[in-house]
Amino acid sequence: MPSSCKDIRAALAECLQSSECVLIQRHQPTDCLRPPLLETLPTRCQQLKKGYGECKRGMIDMRKRFRGNQPIAVSKELEGEKSPQLYAGGGTGSAVKGTSGHEDEKVETVVGLDGEKRVVR
């Protein structure tokens, strides 16, 4: 099998092995992928099944055959890595400035009639 579908296939197998259909109800993983039991699978497993089908279909699609399937970044998500944000104005290399929560407050020092200095927010 080409390497473009190996990651998503492994993620689907892992999702199926940890699903309620296999662990509690003791069905075979292939039975859980068929229509009567497919609706009992978690949404993530159903999405992985659909993605795996599209990946396999893309291997025989003549329009994608020259370039190949797009790589699927499932392995990064499983390892807990976050993908960089590519929209909403910021690029992938921009650093995020930390805040203390008091940026909007204006602090003024006021001298009262009695001569004491007070901090006014």
Side-chain angles (χ1 to χ4, degrees):
M1 176 186 315
S3 62
S4 63
C5 296
K6 282 184 181 176
D7 288 341
I8 195 165
R9 183 176 188 261
L12 177 61
E14 183 180 328
C15 186
L16 282 173
Q17 290 297 328
S18 63
S19 71
E20 189 175 297
C21 182
V22 173
L23 289 178
I24 297 173
Q25 298 171 0
R26 300 286 185 194
H27 293 289
Q28 293 291 324
T30 54
D31 295 336
C32 294
L33 291 173
R34 294 197 179 101
L37 299 173
L38 181 62
E39 290 81 25
T40 63
L41 286 176
T43 308
R44 182 171 182 270
C45 292
Q46 292 178 8
Q47 291 171 343
L48 285 170
K49 179 186 181 294
K50 183 179 179 193
Y52 182 64
E54 289 174 0
C55 181
K56 295 290 281 184
R57 219 172 294 117
M59 288 173 28
I60 60 172
D61 188 3
M62 294 304 279
R63 293 172 290 178
K64 294 181 181 179
R65 212 166 204 197
F66 184 71
R67 290 182 300 207
N69 280 328
Q70 296 295 321
I72 299 171
V74 174
S75 59
K76 288 183 180 179
E77 294 172 0
L78 292 176
E79 294 172 4
E81 294 181 23
K82 289 187 176 181
S83 59
Q85 183 178 0
L86 298 175
Y87 54 90
T92 59
S94 62
V96 177
K97 178 185 165 191
T99 62
S100 64
H102 300 289
E103 283 75 23
D104 293 340
E105 294 182 13
K106 293 182 180 179
V107 179
E108 296 180 21
T109 305
V110 178
V111 178
L113 295 175
D114 54 353
E116 284 189 44
K117 292 183 178 179
R118 296 187 180 102
V119 177
V120 178
R121 295 180 191 240

